[in-house]
Amino acid sequence: MNLHQPLSDAAARMAAVVRAVDPAQLSAATPCTEYDVRGLVNHLLFWAPIIEGVGLRKTAVIDREAEGRDDHTGGDWQAEYLGWLDRIDRAWADEAAWEGTATLGPATVPAAVIGEKTLVELVVHGWDLSRATGQEFRCADAVAEHANRIILATADETRAMRMFGPPVDVPGSASALDRALACSGRDPRWTVAPVAR
C-alpha cells in the first residue's frame, strides 16, 4: 500500500516540531528512554539518508557504531534535518518507491515495509521530541490510525528487537495517536519532569 500522503503529513508535523526546539533543550529527557533530545536528534539524522536512499533504491550501508558515536548537533542540525525531511518526502512520493524490494544493509526487504516504518518513526519520534521540548504534537487521526495499524502488525517482532517496550494500558476511548503510542510502549500521559529548584 502506498502511504505517501500520510507519510508526507507526518513529515510536515515533525518539521514543525523540529523548528520549535530550543538548542538549550538538547539535554532534556524524552519519552523514549534510550535517548535524550540530543540522542534522538542524532538517531533521526543517522537514519534520514538511509530512508531517502531506500526510496530511491540506493544500496544502504548501515554503520551501527556511527549512530551512537557521531554527534551531529554541533552545527545547524535543524536545517540539516529539515532538508532531509524534504528529500525523504520527495523520494517516497514516487509510486515506484513503494513497489518491489529494497536492500537495507545485509537484508532485502519489501520496500513498502520501510515506507511504513518511516511513517511510524515520524509519528512516534515526532511525539517524543514534542513532549520532551514542551510542545503539542498535532497529528491527524487518519495518519495516527495508519501508524497504529502498522505498530500493531509488527509489535511482537519490534519488541523482540527491543525497539518497543511493553504496551501501556489506555482507555477504550483513547485517540488513535494515544493507542499507537501505547502499543509502542510509550505512556501518552508522559510529561517533562519539573526542574528541581
Side-chain angles (χ1 to χ4, degrees), residues 52-69:
E52 184 208 21
V54 171
L56 297 174
R57 289 303 186 277
K58 297 177 180 177
T59 300
V61 177
I62 304 175
D63 180 0
R64 291 282 189 175
E65 291 184 4
E67 180 177 4
R69 180 188 66 226

Side-chain angles (χ1 to χ4, degrees), residues 29-64:
T30 78
C32 183
T33 56
E34 185 177 350
Y35 302 119
D36 59 7
V37 170
R38 187 187 309 277
L40 180 55
V41 167
N42 280 312
H43 171 76
L44 295 170
L45 283 167
F46 174 82
W47 282 100
I50 296 168
I51 292 167
E52 184 208 21
V54 171
L56 297 174
R57 289 303 186 277
K58 297 177 180 177
T59 300
V61 177
I62 304 175
D63 180 0
R64 291 282 189 175

Side-chain angles (χ1 to χ4, degrees), residues 7 32 47-48 51 59 66 78 80 90-91 95 100 110 116 125 134 138 148 150-151 163 165 167 169 179 181 186:
L7 186 154
C32 183
W47 282 100
I51 292 167
T59 300
Q78 286 160 303
E80 182 181 355
R90 288 196 299 272
E95 183 72 34
E116 290 176 349
H125 283 325
R138 297 181 178 89
N148 188 48
I150 296 162
I151 291 169
M163 295 169 67
D169 289 334
R179 285 185 278 114
L181 295 168
R186 288 159 171 81

Side-chain angles (χ1 to χ4, degrees), residues 6-19 82 85 89 122 137:
L7 186 154
S8 183
D9 291 347
R13 297 315 313 153
M14 172 67 92
V17 172
V18 167
R19 289 187 189 98
L82 291 171
L85 286 172
D89 189 16
L122 291 171
F137 186 71

Side-chain angles (χ1 to χ4, degrees), residues 117 120-121 150-165 183-184:
K117 288 184 179 294
V120 169
E121 285 278 291
I150 296 162
I151 291 169
L152 281 170
T154 60
D156 290 343
E157 171 193 353
T158 311
R159 286 193 192 100
M161 296 168 66
R162 297 184 179 178
M163 295 169 67
F164 282 169
C183 191
S184 76

